[in-house]
Amino acid sequence: MSIYSSLSVDGPLVVISEFYPCGVNYDEYIVLWNRGSEEVILSYWTLSDGEGVLLFTTLVHILAGDEVHISSNYDSYFDAFGVPPEITVQGWNTNDLVTVSGSFRLADIGDSLVLRSPEGGVVDSVCYGDSGIPEGWFGSPMPALRQGEVAKRVLMGGIPVDSDVSTDWMSFREYRYGYTEHNTISDKIPAGGITSFASPDCSLEVVLEAVQSAKTTIRVCAYELYSAPFCEALACISKSGVDVRILVDLNPAGGICDEEIDCLSFLSTSGCSVLGIHGNLDDDIVRHIGPLHPKYMVIDEVSILVMSENFVPDGIPEDPVHGNRGWGVWIESGLLAGCLAHVFDDDARRSRDDVIAWTSTEWFDSDAGAFEPPRPVYLSGALRPYRSTQACTVRLHVSPDASIQSPFLVPLLESSRRIMFEQFQSDINWNTRWSSEATTNPLLTAIIDALRNGGQSRGILDSSWFNLDRNNATVAGLSCIAVSEDLDGSFLLMDERSPITILHNKGLILDDRTTVISSNNWVYSSFARNRELAAIVDSEEMASYFADAFHMDWFPDDIPPIAIAGPDIDAREGDVVTLDASESSDDRAIVLIWWDFNGDGLADSYGPRIDYAVTAPGEHLVTVHVVDTWGNDASDTMIVRVSGSGVALTAPIMTPCARPPTWILPLALIPVILVLRRLSIRKLNLGKGGS
């Protein structure tokens, strides 16, 4: 036991709070923390690894509650963390502050550290991997660390835990060289300060409006980015003088596609700053985070846009009916924007070894051309953007920083009585960094606990083939417990008849008041390793908006549209008449309107309003067919009475909707195309929590 272990925290209790033994550039470092209430002068204190000793001089001291970072490589430490270490012992060689004897260097496979007072007593010790047990340590060593991994002591109440056992060091969160520690930030948002939106219904509309609102600077953080209209909008504002900064992940699951290569190259040649997070230990590069997985923008440091969807065609689709299901919010807050800008700038800091300019990569194509402008569509989604009318509170949780000992969502779920969620990817069991055996997903455990306390839960998970095994196991596991214990929980996979391509959402609605808009998949790495972002909005009206979106996915649409062909028309030979079915409606959204003039059941024209020149006298029966997003069909008829001589209705005069838009397909092909869209997804996430 340490000689100070019996003292209260008010005593001069110094501990080894952090160390980095498996560096790639001879850049080990160690941190000492003064847990006491008085300054500690480390005169003649020693730190030993069993083969070498660091002897501190009178110039080294630690203020009460403060820590001292001791690095063997000043440049590497400064580049990784953006601040200098308090003490540098370059190459673990003697200098004015520290005298080094023996061969001091931490072994990758295992070693020990012992901190001693001037009298020789053990103040603190730690061991890991294949190491002997040093004096003052109890039980087995902590597991060996991986290359690039930092060992950091668990904190309790902001103070390092010191019981001299391995669990003192086993945080849920994983730490890597150059890690960050961003706090959770909240702000009170006034009425009108939040716009909520859903994909595919209206996400592109809101995203483009946010881009076009930028006056000075816009930061875009993306896992994937190759939406043509989005790229065109960024290039346009860049050419107008806006400082456009983009940070993307250069190692997405499945690799970078050709469309993204063209997009990022085009943006680079258009004046945008495009940086990427990359890293390969074989090249001696340590990524300071796992996958860069958030999807957000910071506009002029006055507003932020946070969503679950990538900046790709299915994430922010031009077609407001077919695409991925996702949620998003555009929030006006200088405080949140400033904090999120700091997160972006820290991740994108050029001194980091894992940050590289796109123009320096092998993929950069200086000849990449501009994109075609978005094609017009007349369809509208079932959901429109909604602007808040009441004040509310928003909190931002940055992962993995927000999940030190457990996923930040766990206490929210445990305290809720009513839970609705949509989730792209969920593992029923997690293999955490320090566990030798799989443990139950703590988010699912929290949901079951809430149900056992009398709560209610409804959940939908993605049914894409590449998620089917893991998500089906989650649905089956939750459902089995709910049924066997008579709990009020219902869970299902996304209905494959839905027009939604992929349920890519990671959203929650808690107690009809709190909405979570997040990039966090329910897998271990998403909370412990990846860079993610969640906006938690405390607002009943915002929760109501997203509850409507949830219910559209929860309840299949078996209700056909109401087709209204319009009133009968009297015309003379040669007149131009307008057939108007614009009064037709649906409980969700209409995807197709087509007209049959001769009763053969085939489409003769498309669109809600059609102009015709008529030349055939007599009564002509016209049928309009209206199709909704789930393929439900309804029809209505009207009569065109034509006086005069002639033989037939002519082809329609060309109007904007007289021919089928290029994206409209024959009705019989709609179900087939929806299946093919699911099977043609370019990027598959096979366990990294990266989509």
Side-chain angles (χ1 to χ4, degrees):
M1 179 68 71
S2 304
I3 63 171
Y4 292 126
S5 61
S6 62
L7 299 178
S8 69
V9 175
D10 292 334
L13 195 57
V14 177
V15 296
I16 304 164
S17 62
E18 185 176 335
F19 62 96
Y20 178 54
C22 304
V24 298
N25 293 305
Y26 302 101
D27 44 13
E28 299 173 354
Y29 75 87
I30 301 164
V31 180
L32 302 180
W33 186 316
N34 180 3
R35 301 169 73 235
S37 59
E38 298 179 357
E39 178 185 27
V40 173
I41 299 176
L42 298 179
S43 178
Y44 298 107
W45 288 48
T46 62
L47 185 63
S48 172
D49 70 343
E51 297 179 346
V53 177
L54 305 183
L55 174 65
F56 298 99
T57 72
T58 56
L59 298 177
V60 178
H61 59 91
I62 313 177
L63 298 177
D66 204 355
E67 55 189 4
V68 169
H69 296 71
I70 307 163
S71 173
S72 65
N73 188 327
Y74 177 94
D75 291 338
S76 174
Y77 186 96
F78 184 83
D79 289 346
F81 291 97
V83 294
E86 286 81 6
I87 299 175
T88 299
V89 185
Q90 196 70 30
W92 297 129
N93 293 313
T94 297
N95 60 23
D96 292 340
L97 298 178
V98 179
T99 299
V100 183
S101 59
S103 177
F104 186 93
R105 184 176 181 185
L106 299 178
D108 289 355
I109 62 173
D111 214 333
S112 63
L113 283 170
V114 179
L115 180 66
R116 295 181 182 271
S117 68
E119 296 76 23
V122 174
V123 177
D124 192 32
S125 62
V126 61
C127 57
Y128 63 94
D130 185 12
S131 168
I133 305 301
E135 184 179 355
W137 183 265
F138 295 90
S140 301
M142 63 181 293
L145 276 75
R146 301 163 179 162
Q147 196 168 32
E149 186 175 27
V150 174
K152 190 172 175 66
R153 194 184 287 267
V154 173
L155 302 182
M156 183 174 294
I159 299 175
V161 173
D162 182 25
S163 54
D164 298 316
V165 294
S166 61
T167 53
D168 291 352
W169 296 85
M170 295 182 181
S171 297
F172 169 80
R173 177 193 171 175
E174 297 183 18
Y175 293 87
R176 299 186 179 194
Y177 192 54
Y179 70 85
T180 62
E181 291 184 299
H182 298 295
N183 295 323
T184 296
I185 301 296
S186 66
D187 194 17
K188 186 81 169 181
I189 311 301
I194 299 183
T195 299
S196 55
F197 59 93
S199 180
D201 308 72
C202 54
S203 54
L204 181 61
E205 173 186 342
V206 177
V207 167
L208 293 183
E209 183 181 352
V211 170
Q212 292 158 2
S213 73
K215 300 296 188 296
T216 58
T217 305
I218 186 168
R219 295 170 172 87
V220 180
C221 185
Y223 183 66
E224 295 178 299
L225 193 160
Y226 53 93
S227 160
F230 180 62
C231 292
E232 188 70 36
L234 291 176
C236 183
I237 64 169
S238 175
K239 292 174 182 177
S240 70
V242 175
D243 180 10
V244 179
R245 308 174 192 176
I246 300 167
L247 182 65
V248 298
D249 194 304
L250 298 184
N251 303 110
I256 296 180
C257 65
D258 292 341
E259 292 87 345
E260 186 162 20
I261 291 173
D262 289 342
C263 173
L264 298 181
S265 298
F266 168 67
L267 290 170
S268 294
T269 57
S270 298
C272 304
S273 169
V274 182
L275 302 176
I277 300 287
H278 73 137
N280 190 322
L281 290 174
D282 292 337
D283 296 327
D284 293 338
I285 296 176
V286 177
R287 287 181 63 127
H288 71 284
I289 51 174
L292 180 77
H293 195 243
K295 309 92 169 55
Y296 69 82
M297 296 193 296
V298 182
I299 302 101
D300 294 334
E301 295 194 30
V302 298
S303 69
I304 62 173
L305 186 144
V306 180
M307 60 181 182
S308 61
E309 299 313 291
N310 294 307
F311 297 94
V312 299
D314 274 343
I316 47 174
E318 298 172 63
D319 179 348
V321 172
H322 305 103
N324 294 351
R325 168 63 79 216
W327 298 349
V329 283
W330 181 13
I331 305 167
E332 298 173 15
S333 166
L335 175 61
L336 298 182
C339 292
L340 196 53
H342 174 68
V343 173
F344 180 98
D345 293 344
D346 195 5
D347 283 337
R349 185 159 34 82
R350 290 299 305 275
S351 67
R352 292 186 180 276
D353 287 343
D354 58 337
V355 176
I356 187 173
W358 175 256
T359 53
S360 299
T361 69
E362 61 184 291
W363 301 293
F364 173 62
D365 179 5
S366 60
D367 296 324
F371 293 84
E372 295 183 2
R375 57 185 182 270
V377 295
Y378 79 85
L379 293 176
S380 63
L383 292 165
R384 301 296 303 143
Y386 181 80
R387 193 170 182 86
S388 62
T389 62
Q390 302 170 7
C392 66
T393 300
V394 175
R395 301 193 306 277
L396 296 183
H397 292 254
V398 178
S399 293
D401 310 36
S403 300
I404 298 175
Q405 287 304 109
S406 66
F408 69 89
L409 287 176
V410 168
L412 284 171
L413 291 168
E414 289 177 336
S415 62
S416 297
R417 298 280 296 177
R418 180 174 167 82
I419 301 169
M420 293 186 286
F421 68 87
E422 293 191 336
Q423 180 52 232
F424 171 67
Q425 197 172 78
S426 173
D427 287 332
I428 194 167
N429 292 315
W430 285 5
N431 290 298
T432 64
R433 171 64 182 93
W434 306 110
S435 61
S436 57
E437 298 180 356
T439 58
T440 303
N441 182 334
L443 304 172
L444 306 184
T445 299
I447 291 174
I448 292 300
D449 288 344
L451 294 179
R452 287 170 175 161
N453 289 327
Q456 178 192 77
S457 181
R458 302 288 182 266
I460 316 172
L461 287 89
D462 179 52
S463 57
S464 300
W465 64 268
F466 47 84
N467 278 330
L468 194 57
D469 288 346
R470 69 202 318 171
N471 287 353
N472 196 46
T474 295
V475 168
L478 289 172
S479 299
C480 180
I481 294 174
V483 171
S484 64
E485 299 184 24
D486 195 25
L487 305 176
D488 191 1
S490 296
F491 311 95
L492 50 82
L493 296 176
M494 187 71 172
D495 195 317
E496 293 187 355
R497 296 172 297 167
S498 168
I500 299 300
T501 307
I502 293 175
L503 194 158
H504 192 256
N505 195 15
K506 307 98 167 55
L508 292 123
I509 304 166
L510 306 174
D511 294 331
D512 301 319
R513 180 178 182 85
T514 301
T515 306
V516 179
I517 299 96
S518 168
S519 65
N520 292 89
N521 294 312
W522 287 7
V523 298
Y524 166 73
S525 60
S526 186
F527 295 90
R529 187 182 306 139
N530 298 0
R531 173 67 80 230
E532 309 276 1
L533 180 65
I536 300 181
V537 182
D538 187 16
S539 163
E540 289 184 358
E541 63 174 338
M542 293 293 106
S544 176
Y545 175 88
F546 289 112
D548 288 343
F550 175 88
H551 289 135
M552 287 183 183
D553 298 331
W554 181 263
F555 296 106
D557 184 6
D558 298 322
I559 302 174
I562 298 174
I564 300 177
D568 295 345
I569 297 175
D570 293 315
R572 295 181 60 82
E573 181 181 358
D575 285 352
V576 174
V577 299
T578 298
L579 307 182
D580 189 351
S582 59
E583 294 297 317
S584 300
S585 62
D586 186 67
D587 60 327
R588 301 193 183 183
I590 293 172
V591 70
L592 180 64
I593 296 177
W594 59 279
W595 300 83
D596 179 5
F597 300 127
N598 53 21
D600 63 359
L602 300 178
D604 296 307
S605 191
Y606 299 83
R609 291 172 60 90
I610 303 297
D611 290 341
Y612 276 89
V614 292
T615 58
E619 291 191 353
H620 304 279
L621 185 68
V622 177
T623 303
V624 66
H625 290 263
V626 180
V627 185
D628 69 14
T629 56
W630 283 66
N632 300 306
D633 180 285
S635 63
D636 188 29
T637 59
M638 53 86 65
I639 295 174
V640 179
R641 302 183 187 88
V642 182
S643 60
S645 60
V647 293
L649 281 170
T650 68
I653 295 175
M654 294 312 299
T655 63
C657 294
R659 287 182 178 172
T662 57
W663 42 264
I664 287 185
L665 299 161
L667 181 60
L669 291 180
I670 290 178
V672 176
I673 295 301
L674 290 178
V675 172
L676 291 177
R677 283 171 64 88
R678 291 190 179 94
L679 296 179
S680 65
I681 300 304
R682 183 181 306 276
K683 302 295 175 65
L684 306 185
N685 183 329
L686 301 180
K688 295 184 178 180
S691 185

